[in-house]
Amino acid sequence: MRVCGSVWLCPNCSQKIRRQRARDVATVLQRHEARGGGAVLSLLSVSHYRKHSLRSTQDAQKVAWTQMTKQRYYTQLKDRFGIVGYIKTFEVTEGKNGWHPHYHVVWLTKRPLTDAEREQLDAALFQLWSHNVAKYTDRTVNHEANHVQKIRTVGAIANYMSKSIAYELTHAHMKDGKTPTQRTPFQIARDYTTSFDERDAARWNEYVEAISGERMITFSRSLSDLRTTESQMTDEEIAEIDDDAIPQDQPSENDGDAPSQEDQEEWNVVASFDLPNTPWFNRWWYTTNEHTKLLKALENDGETGLKLFIEEVRRRYEE
């Protein structure tokens, strides 16, 4: 069977490529941690509204990144915090404020940073990013959307990134992406097949035109010794591999809370509720293996139990 090799436009190829890329990122982080290194996860984006096209926002973000990473202030920041490299992933969603392209950047450090150092890096990185966005683009930034995540261990960051990269695989049970007002491009295409809303057709066509040539994951050159042969493969080469030749992620003892086949009906019920799209809920979702507790709460006490469990998560992670 011929394949197109597009991680952006083809659901079949995207699943295969994302599965391999998630494994690539996890491997690099595991090897780095084994050497005694640390990691910090940050989110970088620029302001965007309905009036802005996807391409214009992408271009603004790329210009700001390029300008930031070639300055001496960036070199000074790396030296100050012992940054030895980065892994940058590119994602696109669409919501009430229009297209939201953004970067998740994992900064690999020589050693784990203290909480005080993480706060200092957060402030320094935001200052550097906001300066370049303001100087070289027509956009602005705010700290709420551009900050260091409160995920401290390399293992937790690897888990978060793997699930985020494989989003289309791991979130099939959720109704409309991370929030009812935020959709992935594939969800826009899916919605059009049921609603035939011409606005969705226009959004998809705009996305197809803008996404051409974009890379989903970029490893800094300094991390080459941590990468596997498979991570050097192009998307097209990964898509050409027979499914049976790609190792499937086997459930480990830490994956016991992944939804089973018997739970699918309950997951469909959970998906009918508007799950929170907040930093505290996303941190719980991506860094724990407690997902079936949602099912238990729903099974035992119905909608009230589900809401109480979500409130318990909020109290645990919003601090």
Side-chain angles (χ1 to χ4, degrees):
M1 180 179 70
R2 297 188 62 182
V3 296
C4 66
S6 175
V7 70
W8 303 117
L9 303 178
C10 173
N12 291 330
C13 290
S14 183
Q15 289 194 11
K16 186 184 294 186
I17 295 165
R18 286 175 181 272
R19 186 183 297 117
Q20 180 60 51
R21 295 307 186 207
R23 187 176 294 108
D24 295 341
V25 169
T27 299
V28 168
L29 290 174
Q30 289 163 4
R31 291 179 174 181
H32 177 65
E33 183 179 35
R35 295 180 177 181
V40 176
L41 174 63
S42 70
L43 177 66
L44 297 177
S45 63
V46 299
S47 61
H48 54 88
Y49 302 98
R50 275 288 178 191
K51 65 179 182 180
H52 292 129
S53 67
L54 173 56
R55 174 161 289 174
S56 68
T57 304
Q58 285 176 224
D59 289 346
Q61 193 160 291
K62 284 190 285 188
V63 166
W65 174 266
T66 300
Q67 293 296 330
M68 182 183 79
T69 54
K70 69 181 184 181
Q71 294 177 355
R72 62 185 176 90
Y73 300 107
Y74 173 70
T75 301
Q76 292 171 355
L77 180 138
K78 291 194 297 179
D79 292 342
R80 177 183 174 187
F81 295 101
I83 294 173
V84 297
Y86 65 80
I87 304 169
K88 176 165 64 78
T89 68
F90 176 66
E91 298 178 2
V92 178
T93 55
E94 186 268 347
K96 63 180 182 180
N97 290 322
W99 291 106
H100 176 48
H102 51 282
Y103 298 140
H104 281 111
V105 186
V106 182
W107 306 97
L108 280 67
T109 56
K110 294 178 181 178
R111 58 168 178 79
L113 301 185
T114 65
D115 287 350
E117 289 170 329
R118 290 169 55 86
E119 291 180 3
Q120 293 166 9
L121 174 58
D122 183 30
L125 183 60
F126 176 72
Q127 182 180 21
L128 186 60
W129 176 249
S130 59
H131 168 77
N132 283 277
V133 170
K135 183 175 181 179
Y136 295 104
T137 78
D138 61 349
R139 307 303 175 88
T140 59
V141 299
N142 63 69
H143 191 249
E144 182 180 357
N146 294 271
H147 59 275
V148 166
Q149 303 284 318
K150 295 181 179 179
I151 307 176
R152 289 174 170 77
T153 68
V154 177
I157 290 175
N159 189 32
Y160 180 103
M161 293 299 293
S162 294
K163 291 181 178 178
S164 180
I165 294 166
Y167 181 82
E168 297 292 340
L169 301 175
T170 59
H171 285 67
H173 62 279
M174 296 185 73
K175 181 175 61 175
D176 284 308
K178 296 179 182 178
T179 174
T181 60
Q182 184 184 31
R183 298 182 296 172
T184 68
F186 284 145
Q187 288 165 338
I188 293 174
R190 182 199 64 189
D191 288 348
Y192 177 72
T193 64
T194 57
S195 68
F196 299 103
D197 188 330
E198 291 302 323
R199 292 171 297 182
D200 282 342
R203 291 184 184 104
W204 174 258
N205 290 333
E206 180 185 0
Y207 166 74
V208 170
E209 183 176 346
I211 205 65
S212 176
E214 290 287 352
R215 298 181 65 179
M216 184 177 72
I217 297 182
T218 302
F219 295 88
S220 64
R221 293 179 182 177
S222 57
L223 302 182
S224 58
D225 62 326
L226 295 173
R227 298 178 62 184
T228 62
T229 302
E230 290 79 10
S231 74
Q232 311 282 349
M233 298 173 65
T234 66
D235 290 350
E236 292 77 10
E237 289 171 336
I238 294 173
E240 288 284 354
I241 300 174
D242 291 337
D243 288 335
D244 293 340
I246 297 181
Q248 301 296 309
D249 295 324
Q250 298 299 320
S252 67
E253 61 182 13
N254 295 324
D255 293 329
D257 287 318
S260 64
Q261 185 67 36
E262 306 88 71
D263 291 328
Q264 190 58 51
E265 183 175 344
E266 286 86 351
W267 274 121
N268 291 338
V269 177
V270 171
S272 69
F273 297 98
D274 293 339
L275 299 181
N277 179 40
T278 60
W280 54 265
F281 187 82
N282 289 338
R283 186 149 57 98
W284 171 80
W285 180 269
Y286 285 115
T287 62
T288 73
N289 291 290
E290 302 178 347
H291 304 136
T292 55
K293 290 185 178 180
L294 283 172
L295 298 181
K296 284 293 184 182
L298 184 66
E299 179 182 345
N300 293 336
D301 299 299
E303 182 178 353
T304 299
L306 184 64
K307 290 180 177 179
L308 287 174
F309 178 77
I310 291 175
E311 176 60 20
E312 177 187 335
V313 172
R314 185 193 65 77
R315 289 197 300 268
R316 284 167 53 192
Y317 285 85
E318 197 173 29
E319 298 178 353

